[in-house]
Amino acid sequence: MTNQTSSAKLSHYKAVCMQVKCQAVSALRDKAEARGVMRKTIERLRGNLLAGQAFIGSELKLVVLPEYFLTGFPQGDGLSAWADKAALEMNGAEYEALGKLAQEAKVYLSGNVYEQDGHFPGLYFQTSFVIEPSGNVILRYRRLNSMFAPTPHDMWDRYLGVYGLEGVFPVADTPIGKLACIASEEILYPEVARCHAMRGAEIFLHHSSQTNETTKAVKEVCTVARAIENCAYVVSTNSGGYDGTAILSASTDGGSKIVNYEGLVLTKTGQGESMSATAEIDLAALRRFRTRPGMDNLIARQRFEAYAASYAQHHHYPVNNFPETVPERSHFIQTQRATIDRLVKDGVLQN
């Protein structure tokens, strides 16, 4: 799905990673209390954003928040309980408040939340969104690879019947470029970024709440790799700490960065809440790079047909594996164990 928004196109502008703390609601049993925490988080973000905008300047047009910045991740709740307590309604009060913030600041605002969907009652999806300066949500990307949460792939046929393939890999065509989202650890899965790039994505908005690695920089490497492979910018925002649980607050803290289409890290921040990961997005330069023949123009040199048959013939994690009734979270680890056993039996893996 490529959504188009109307306004004067910009050749360059500034983007910022708003590295803020995630305030978890998992320890709260009362839904109203959890929603109150979410409202306070949005109120605090308003002050953060407007102050940051005054500091960065009027060229700031793109603001990217961390993964599950309103709620943290579920701990102890079943799927339906978490959906009720912490997952946003698609036209609910939280989106309305975030829309007003984007409108007030006149920016494109992107983040990651848990979200309900009336087509799939009792469930939620981890959703990355983009809100345009008018306050409207113009893009929703539902995470496809998750260890302990439902994804569109788990109910693939049903999901495609509602949203189609373009709704699985949405790209928003905006005055600040063609935007697409990558959720959390999906930066490790090159196919997610690639399928967005096939649809014209120029800027990947990556929302994460991960360890700020120092010795084992797996996600650091993959963030740069996704930029190089797709000749695209990656605006990657990590959380600036994690409050509200027994988890030590600095466990997922810092390392937000903006990487350009050649894999150059333009800016990176340390630990703590910060807006220092700010850089210019030069759309004109990116488009010149992508339309110039050469060895480094990898997006124009892709030979997808050579790989398509292998993808079609090999099956690892099973599609359409979600049961009719809402399962326990143990369903996910059981499915992975069964997948490993099958791959060992088929000789793909060795034990």
Side-chain angles (χ1 to χ4, degrees):
M1 175 171 55
T2 301
N3 299 317
Q4 293 188 344
T5 61
S6 60
S7 187
K9 293 186 178 295
L10 299 177
S11 63
H12 60 89
Y13 59 90
K14 285 189 176 180
V16 64
C17 300
M18 288 292 290
Q19 184 173 286
V20 297
K21 282 187 176 180
C22 292
Q23 183 62 49
V25 302
S26 55
L28 305 177
R29 299 273 70 88
D30 182 70
K31 175 181 176 180
E33 188 179 2
R35 299 287 168 163
V37 169
M38 294 158 73
R39 284 195 300 273
K40 289 180 181 178
T41 295
I42 296 173
E43 290 169 6
R44 185 168 68 91
L45 284 173
R46 177 181 179 275
N48 296 151
L49 176 51
L50 295 179
Q53 187 177 49
F55 186 83
I56 295 167
S58 60
E59 285 196 330
L60 178 62
K61 301 299 180 186
L62 176 61
V63 177
V64 181
L65 295 163
E67 181 182 14
Y68 44 61
F69 65 97
L70 285 180
T71 63
F73 61 88
Q75 297 181 68
D77 287 305
L79 297 182
S80 295
W82 185 254
D84 181 60
K85 181 173 77 176
L88 277 59
E89 297 178 10
M90 292 176 68
N91 295 303
E94 293 84 10
Y95 273 124
E96 182 180 357
L98 290 167
K100 288 180 180 178
L101 176 53
Q103 197 170 26
E104 183 177 6
K106 298 182 176 62
V107 297
Y108 286 83
L109 181 64
S110 183
N112 176 277
V113 296
Y114 294 97
E115 182 180 76
Q116 302 175 40
D117 186 323
H119 296 288
F120 304 93
L123 299 178
Y124 61 84
F125 295 106
Q126 193 175 352
T127 301
S128 294
F129 64 82
V130 177
I131 300 174
E132 66 181 351
S134 70
N136 295 321
V137 178
I138 58 169
L139 182 150
R140 282 183 164 94
Y141 167 72
R142 267 74 181 268
R143 180 173 171 175
L144 283 171
N145 300 274
S146 181
M147 188 70 187
F148 293 112
T151 79
H153 184 259
D154 295 317
M155 52 207 75
W156 190 239
D157 292 340
R158 289 166 56 200
Y159 198 90
L160 290 180
V162 176
Y163 293 107
L165 189 59
E166 300 308 303
V168 175
F169 299 107
V171 175
D173 187 357
T174 77
I176 65 167
K178 293 187 176 182
L179 309 178
C181 292
I182 301 174
S184 188
E185 66 162 354
E186 289 195 313
I187 200 71
L188 307 179
Y189 293 79
E191 294 87 353
V192 173
R194 182 72 85 208
C195 285
H196 285 117
M198 290 175 180
R199 292 162 173 82
E202 299 172 311
I203 303 158
F204 296 125
L205 313 178
H206 176 225
H207 319 91
S208 192
S209 184
Q210 65 195 40
T211 302
N212 184 13
E213 303 120 328
T214 54
T215 58
K216 187 182 179 184
V218 176
K219 293 178 183 176
E220 178 89 10
V221 170
C222 289
T223 301
V224 174
R226 299 297 85 84
I228 295 170
E229 292 165 352
N230 298 290
C231 306
Y233 281 97
V234 180
V235 183
S236 178
T237 304
N238 200 35
S239 57
Y242 194 90
D243 284 348
T245 74
I247 296 171
L248 296 174
S249 63
S251 297
T252 60
D253 185 0
S256 299
K257 65 188 71 65
I258 299 177
V259 186
N260 83 348
Y261 47 88
E262 294 181 286
L264 176 65
V265 178
L266 302 177
T267 180
K268 182 179 178 181
T269 193
Q271 290 184 296
E273 294 195 298
S274 175
M275 60 179 186
S276 63
T278 303
E280 183 177 74
I281 304 296
D282 191 338
L283 274 179
L286 178 147
R287 289 168 178 173
R288 286 195 302 271
F289 184 88
R290 281 181 155 200
T291 54
R292 183 181 65 235
M295 291 186 67
D296 52 0
N297 187 349
L298 301 183
I299 197 66
R301 299 177 62 205
Q302 292 304 313
R303 302 171 186 259
F304 296 137
E305 296 81 1
Y307 322 125
S310 293
Y311 275 105
Q313 293 170 12
H314 292 82
H315 306 280
H316 286 209
Y317 197 91
V319 72
N320 289 319
N321 76 88
F322 222 64
E324 289 296 325
T325 57
V326 178
E328 299 295 326
R329 289 196 186 276
S330 57
H331 162 81
F332 300 103
I333 193 70
Q334 290 167 359
T335 302
Q336 189 184 35
R337 285 187 179 126
T339 300
I340 293 170
D341 290 344
R342 176 169 49 81
L343 294 175
V344 169
K345 181 180 178 181
D346 292 345
V348 177
L349 305 179
Q350 303 293 318
N351 59 12

